[in-house]
Amino acid sequence: MAQQTIRKAVFPVAGLGTRFLPATKAMPKEMLTVFDRPIIQHVVDEAKAAGIEHFIFVTGRNKGVIEDHFDRMYELEHTLQARNKNKIFQMLMKDLPGPGQTSFTRQQAPLGLGHAVWCAREIVGNEPFALLLPDMLHHSKVPCLSEMIDAYDTYGGNLIAVAPVPEDQTHHYGIVGVDDEKAKVSRILRMIEKPTSGMAPSNLHITGRYILQPEIFALLAKHESGAGNEIQLTDSMIALMDKERQPFYAVRFKGQIYDCGSQVGFLAANVVYALDRSDLAKDIRIKLRSLID
Ligand code: UTP
């Protein structure tokens, strides 16, 4: 079935990052580095690899540096070229979205993920879009969003990446119930945000990659608060599925996920992405062993 192409991706980056204070007092959480690239750069790389053409950032106070990061910096470029540091110069250029391919809008108050997504409505317009939560790094050979766009081309509708978590951890996440837990792509029958003990329909959690239809915005516009007194995206997705009868599919992600919003996940991501560097991996391995033994 030919579907409308996914051209735009939304990156909500307006959260306060309180778990990383004081590091995030003046520096956005999304600019903390996982090895030698800001977290947000890793996620933009994933979206670029999946063919996204327009990158929409929902920012807030103290997040201006993200806009600067995705812009040219002429003095630096000039200096690098003057010093024959062409490799670094080329890398900086490669990382950049092209002119006119970024948009920035402000959430003004961090009222929750659902509210952040709603703030992108005018820029997304009336077309399906991708949503990537920057602090969830998806590590795999084939980028998670590429797999989702492939599934979207076949199934259409709304898609959510999922992965299993230990059963005693389900209360931390959005959890889905599906018609076939073993399938790569399965129909979602139920969704619940942070289920209390015994209420989770499975152990498949929502990992932070979505493809959503634009009808989600009318539901988010109701600004209804949910778990944690925040405007939750999951609540509007449930309404889109149950009341508006739109199909939702779970795409099972087989790679590793690092939650860089938590200290342990952030540290693990740093080690894994460092070991990905073939030029440094050997030395890093030796160093890490010497620290642990
Ligand atoms: P998190 O809840 O993990 O981020 O939101 P946070 O609120 O910044 O972190 P803590 O709990 O205070 O440490 C996931 C993503 O959604 C964005 C965040 O910036 C993060 O990238 N977000 C969250 C918003 O853009 N707006 C919000 O109101 C909430």
Side-chain angles (χ1 to χ4, degrees), residues 80-92:
L80 289 173
Q81 284 176 302
R83 295 184 186 171
N84 282 328
K85 293 190 184 283
N86 288 322
K87 213 166 148 203
I88 303 176
F89 171 71
Q90 294 301 340
M91 179 195 68
L92 288 183

Side-chain angles (χ1 to χ4, degrees), residues 71-84:
D71 197 3
R72 302 279 303 263
M73 198 167 274
Y74 287 101
E75 300 87 335
L76 177 64
E77 291 170 16
H78 178 77
T79 308
L80 289 173
Q81 284 176 302
R83 295 184 186 171
N84 282 328

